[in-house]
Amino acid sequence: MIVNFLSHTLLLPILLVQAAIVRMRVLILPDPPGPRHGVLGQGPPLRVLIIGDSSALGVGVETQGQALSGLLTARLSRLARVEFDLVAVTGAKTVDAVGWLDQLPRAEYDVVITALGVNDVTKATTLRRFIGLQTILLDRLVQDFGAKRIYVSGLPPMGQFPLLPQPLRWAMGRRAAWFEMHLRRLIDSRDAARFVTIDMGLDNTNMSADGFHPGPTVYAAWSESIYAQIIGDPALLDAAGQST
């Protein structure tokens, strides 16, 4: 899971040993069953794409109905006719998502939600490459898919992941925070992009059984944060003329 990060540090040997132990002991959770494409609701059309890693896929809960995709599309379907696509793979990095764009039909999306970065942190993507690939992803979503709004999910506070022992937890938390700081700066420079974060601590009470993925409470808070931004954006749901 973790490969050669924080080089030239006295902690590196300890971190690599801990990373290897985590890899061997981690609980592998299944992908939750449920639709990855569909149409819900009635009203003005709203095309939604969710693209990303295992968190976008909903790993950590039992069904898509408890995951980001199911929760968000169900809420939005009360306001609009929602046509959605979920494109996500466990272990995906930003470079993978950029590659997927070549395989997607060139449909236009009103809303795109991205959930990427954790695997860039754990798999030793450099900060420069991460931001460069995020830039490409955002630009292509607008240019090739007509995305009106891109809601970019921030990196979770990995320094709170129950799975990770100390000092590995501390090191991952620092690296994730560093990546997120630069990602926020990128989002601020893009007219179509909005940053999404949830203000809650992570621990064994709200994380999944593996101590690494969100549990139902976290997915609910995440979907609510995105939903609130969408319904607060008149450019997206103007025709619906509704709120919660």
Side-chain angles (χ1 to χ4, degrees):
M1 184 186 298
I2 316 295
V3 186
N4 190 26
F5 61 93
L6 295 177
S7 57
H8 307 297
T9 171
L10 293 176
L11 283 177
L12 184 57
I14 298 172
L15 299 177
L16 290 175
V17 170
Q18 289 188 329
I21 294 172
V22 168
R23 254 196 322 269
M24 290 186 296
R25 295 181 177 177
V26 65
L27 177 65
I28 305 301
L29 299 178
D31 298 346
R36 300 194 188 186
H37 313 277
V39 180
L40 298 172
Q42 296 181 343
L46 187 72
R47 287 185 51 84
V48 177
L49 170 66
I50 299 174
I51 185 168
D53 55 24
S54 56
S55 63
L57 188 55
V59 172
V61 292
E62 294 183 358
T63 70
Q64 286 296 333
Q66 297 175 295
L68 175 64
S69 175
L71 291 169
L72 182 61
T73 55
R75 291 289 300 277
L76 291 173
S77 69
R78 301 173 191 172
L79 309 176
R81 180 181 183 273
V82 179
E83 184 175 351
F84 71 94
D85 294 304
L86 170 60
V87 181
V89 175
T90 295
K93 299 187 295 184
T94 305
V95 66
D96 300 309
V98 170
W100 298 339
L101 298 183
D102 293 328
Q103 312 302 322
L104 292 179
R106 291 301 175 92
E108 292 195 354
Y109 290 100
D110 300 294
V111 171
V112 178
I113 298 150
T114 71
L116 294 158
V118 168
N119 295 305
D120 289 282
V121 168
T122 62
K123 296 179 180 179
T125 302
T126 65
L127 176 63
R128 176 177 293 186
R129 179 163 170 76
F130 173 68
I131 294 301
L133 288 165
Q134 285 281 333
T135 301
I136 293 170
L137 180 65
L138 295 176
D139 288 346
R140 288 199 58 191
L141 286 170
V142 172
Q143 295 164 7
D144 297 347
F145 297 90
K148 294 183 178 67
R149 280 288 179 267
I150 306 169
Y151 296 96
V152 180
S153 303
L155 279 74
M158 297 181 68
Q160 299 175 19
F161 280 12
L163 172 69
L164 304 177
Q166 295 289 12
L168 182 62
R169 185 186 299 185
W170 171 84
M172 289 288 92
R174 288 289 298 271
R175 185 166 169 81
W178 187 41
F179 274 46
E180 182 176 271
M181 179 182 70
H182 288 274
L183 182 60
R184 280 179 179 266
R185 292 176 181 173
L186 174 63
I187 300 312
D188 288 344
S189 71
R190 293 291 189 276
D191 290 339
R194 300 290 185 271
F195 196 80
V196 176
T197 188
I198 55 174
D199 185 18
M200 65 185 302
L202 302 180
D203 55 35
N204 285 316
T205 67
N206 56 27
M207 294 287 280
S208 67
D210 69 357
F212 193 83
H213 288 94
T217 303
V218 180
Y219 278 116
W222 184 15
S223 66
E224 178 60 31
S225 179
I226 297 173
Y227 176 78
Q229 289 204 42
I230 291 174
I231 65 169
D233 191 333
L236 290 176
L237 288 177
D238 219 14
Q242 301 182 48
S243 65
T244 54

